[in-house]
Amino acid sequence: MKYNQEHYVIKGGNPLKGEVGIGGAKNAALAILAASIMTDETVTLENLPDVRDINVLLEAMQGIGVIVERLDRHTVKINGSLVRNVSIEYESIKRIRASYYLIGALLGKYKEAEVPLPGGCNIGSRPIDQHLKGFRAIGADVSIEGGAIVAKAERLIGTHIYMDVVTVGATINVMMASCMAEGKTTIENAAKEPHVVDVANFLNSLGANIKGAGTDVIRIKGVPKLHGGIYSIIPDQIEAGTFMFAAAITQGDILIKNVIPKHLESISAKLMEIGCSIEEFDDAVRVSRTGELRSTHIKTLPYPGFPTDMQPQAGVTLALSGGISTITESIFENRFRYVDEITRMGASIKVEGNTAIITGVPRLSGAHLSSPDLRAGAALVLASLSAEGISVVDEISLIERGYEDFDMKLRNLGANIEKTSGDRQLKKMKLKLAAV
Ligand code: UD1
């Protein structure tokens, strides 16, 4: 069966109430998995999310001889001592953005790597010049040959690198590539996202010497080798944020467990501005909404600003908030692809350049929708949960790239959502939900 034949069928209108547990951070896990092959000893990773991007990367790693043993759904043992070659030739690796982390990991350990150019969500042009600039600065020859990035070095030597833009991917990649380089590497204008810190903590737990992750200057002192260890991945900021907006858009009350509230501050702040109540606990947040939603203005920024990966979920919620809101997308140019879809549900949104001007409407009505990308797809699910009538969301394989058991978690909170495959099942499920 083809993935893209699967749909979510959703009957909107139920306020979501109850508790939901958040999984490990996909974007931290992807980098940490790649970094685990930088030691010949075994690494055990806990709190790994069971989502498609992670499983694609694990398969690609097995393809080059990495031994992967799944201890349970969220725990894997990785051993990279038998890596046979440093050239990744795996079709599906092209579909995930984070394949580029294998370049940093392989280059850092073996001083050579060949990895197909990354794919991932179609949310903008997504250049990788800063990654290549960093690899070259520490001594690698880097070229693009036959659709792959080829990097090679006699020696990797620490140096001073200034990132021209704040980039999560390049910060992590250069941090990995330089942690066994000779001497000291300094990354200036580094990204400060929680997953940058998590990757640094992970590498340090294997014996690396990285200081300053979480600030805009990261200092790395090269060490000769890394050893094995056990590491638990941080909770997923974006999965948590998505459920926070699910509470807001459905007029619900959700206790979101296994989170780091500090990572959610920019999201909590905006939810409070539009009229939600937020209660913070040590490792949980509760989001509830009783009244009408108000408008606000959002600009996406690198951490600790409002995350671009939360922009579509915020956009669909503001579509139902009284007054005029604006969202300015300053990270990726192609992140408003949910706007056409939600307009068909009755939203009033005009996009001018990198700003969406949103005039709140009292209600949305169900429609047949297609997920444009991972986060936009999740946002369309939220819109459908709040809409009148039945919606169908297609291309849900994109959503499953980053959300584990999304439909089940929403059902447990009281949503009428079912996953179907094929036209016959879809018709049956629409009739079933219409009768609920
Ligand atoms: C990662 C996340 C993605 C998130 C994004 C921003 C993963 C797998 N993906 O993507 O979900 O939306 O961070 O938080 O972790 N840029 C350059 N040159 C480069 C690299 C980036 O100009 O070499 C630009 C990009 O076009 C973008 C900005 O820098 O405008 C930020 O990109 P970056 O933080 O690198 O995003 P990703 O690592 O691709």
Side-chain angles (χ1 to χ4, degrees):
M1 184 203 314
K2 273 203 190 138
Y3 280 121
N4 64 10
Q5 289 176 326
E6 291 188 322
H7 327 263
Y8 289 141
V9 187
I10 298 164
K11 183 175 181 187
N14 287 5
L16 300 195
K17 292 194 170 158
E19 296 181 2
V20 64
I22 298 305
K26 168 184 84 83
N27 289 346
L30 288 165
I32 288 173
L33 274 177
S36 327
I37 64 176
M38 297 186 73
T39 164
D40 285 339
E41 295 176 22
T42 299
V43 171
T44 304
L45 296 177
E46 298 169 344
N47 205 29
L48 195 72
D50 184 12
V51 294
R52 274 212 310 132
D53 275 14
I54 296 289
N55 297 326
V56 169
L57 182 61
L58 281 170
E59 273 181 50
M61 287 167 56
Q62 282 173 303
I64 54 166
V66 178
I67 297 170
V68 175
E69 190 189 341
R70 259 194 199 271
L71 300 185
D72 62 42
R73 193 175 177 197
H74 300 122
T75 314
V76 284
K77 260 188 177 177
I78 308 280
N79 186 295
S81 61
L82 297 179
V83 168
R84 287 188 293 275
N85 61 50
V86 289
S87 151
I88 310 265
E89 282 185 41
Y90 187 69
E91 232 352 80
S92 63
I93 197 75
K94 287 191 280 188
R95 283 193 270 128
I96 66 167
R97 183 79 192 147
S99 53
Y100 56 42
Y101 288 135
L102 289 170
I103 313 171
L106 290 169
L107 179 66
K109 183 166 186 223
Y110 297 102
K111 300 194 176 52
E112 59 178 308
E114 185 177 334
V115 177
L117 278 164
C121 277
N122 177 13
I123 54 177
S125 62
R126 310 193 81 169
I128 50 162
D129 55 303
Q130 298 303 306
H131 302 240
L132 307 188
K133 170 179 159 169
F135 298 148
R136 287 184 179 124
I138 57 170
D141 277 333
V142 186
S143 55
I144 302 203
E145 287 167 31
I149 301 164
V150 183
K152 257 189 199 147
E154 289 287 314
R155 291 166 67 193
L156 294 173
I157 300 173
T159 186
H160 205 97
I161 300 161
Y162 177 83
M163 294 287 175
D164 300 321
V165 286
V166 179
T167 140
V168 176
T171 301
I172 292 179
N173 228 345
V174 175
M175 200 164 76
M176 294 199 295
S178 57
C179 70
M180 288 190 273
E182 297 166 40
K184 287 183 198 165
T185 303
T186 307
I187 306 175
E188 295 226 45
N189 199 24
K192 296 181 278 202
E193 266 66 5
H195 39 301
V196 175
V197 180
D198 208 35
V199 179
N201 287 343
F202 168 68
L203 288 167
N204 284 343
S205 78
L206 305 189
N209 185 341
I210 302 173
K211 296 208 166 93
T215 75
D216 49 19
V217 183
I218 300 179
R219 292 174 209 283
I220 304 144
K221 227 179 186 176
V223 295
K225 62 181 208 151
L226 300 178
H227 53 72
I230 302 181
Y231 193 79
S232 182
I233 289 154
I234 51 164
D236 197 304
Q237 176 203 27
I238 306 301
E239 187 193 12
T242 302
F243 282 99
M244 292 169 80
F245 272 95
I249 200 169
T250 65
Q251 196 149 4
D253 183 348
I254 309 181
L255 182 68
I256 298 150
K257 293 165 73 171
N258 183 34
V259 299
I260 299 175
K262 173 90 193 133
H263 295 168
L264 302 171
E265 276 174 355
S266 62
I267 299 165
S268 300
K270 284 297 158 190
L271 285 169
M272 284 192 281
E273 272 176 41
I274 63 172
C276 295
S277 301
I278 309 276
E279 239 181 300
E280 277 185 10
F281 304 92
D282 285 349
D283 61 355
V285 288
R286 179 178 168 197
V287 182
S288 58
R289 168 191 153 201
T290 44
E292 294 301 308
L293 291 174
R294 296 187 291 267
S295 62
T296 191
H297 304 288
I298 294 179
K299 182 172 182 183
T300 62
L301 288 169
Y303 189 83
F306 192 88
T308 174
D309 284 358
M310 284 305 304
Q311 187 263 101
Q313 301 88 316
V316 298
T317 307
L318 294 180
L320 286 162
S321 306
I324 296 181
S325 300
T326 57
I327 296 188
T328 303
E329 172 57 59
S330 65
I331 313 286
F332 292 112
E333 70 269 24
N334 208 4
R335 277 218 114 148
F336 286 127
R337 298 199 308 147
Y338 64 92
V339 167
D340 284 349
E341 297 296 294
I342 192 186
T343 301
R344 297 197 295 108
M345 303 176 87
S348 171
I349 308 182
K350 208 164 110 194
V351 178
E352 284 179 4
N354 66 343
T355 299
I357 301 149
I358 305 169
T359 307
V361 294
R363 70 193 65 78
L364 297 175
S365 54
H368 198 128
L369 309 161
S370 182
S371 291
D373 59 66
L374 161 59
R375 305 302 171 186
L380 293 178
V381 170
L382 299 194
S384 305
L385 290 169
S386 70
E388 280 175 4
I390 296 201
S391 298
V392 176
V393 181
D394 293 346
E395 304 293 344
I396 64 170
S397 63
L398 290 170
I399 301 174
E400 292 178 344
R401 288 184 43 202
Y403 291 90
E404 179 179 317
D405 296 338
F406 197 37
D407 53 328
M408 195 180 85
K409 288 185 179 182
L410 289 167
R411 250 191 324 275
N412 287 343
L413 293 166
N416 276 322
I417 176 169
E418 299 289 344
K419 184 158 133 180
T420 66
S421 54
D423 284 347
R424 258 187 66 195
Q425 246 196 54
L426 175 63
K427 273 188 199 139
K428 229 166 99 185
M429 198 51 74
K430 274 168 122 175
L431 289 173
K432 184 183 150 194
L433 283 186
V436 173

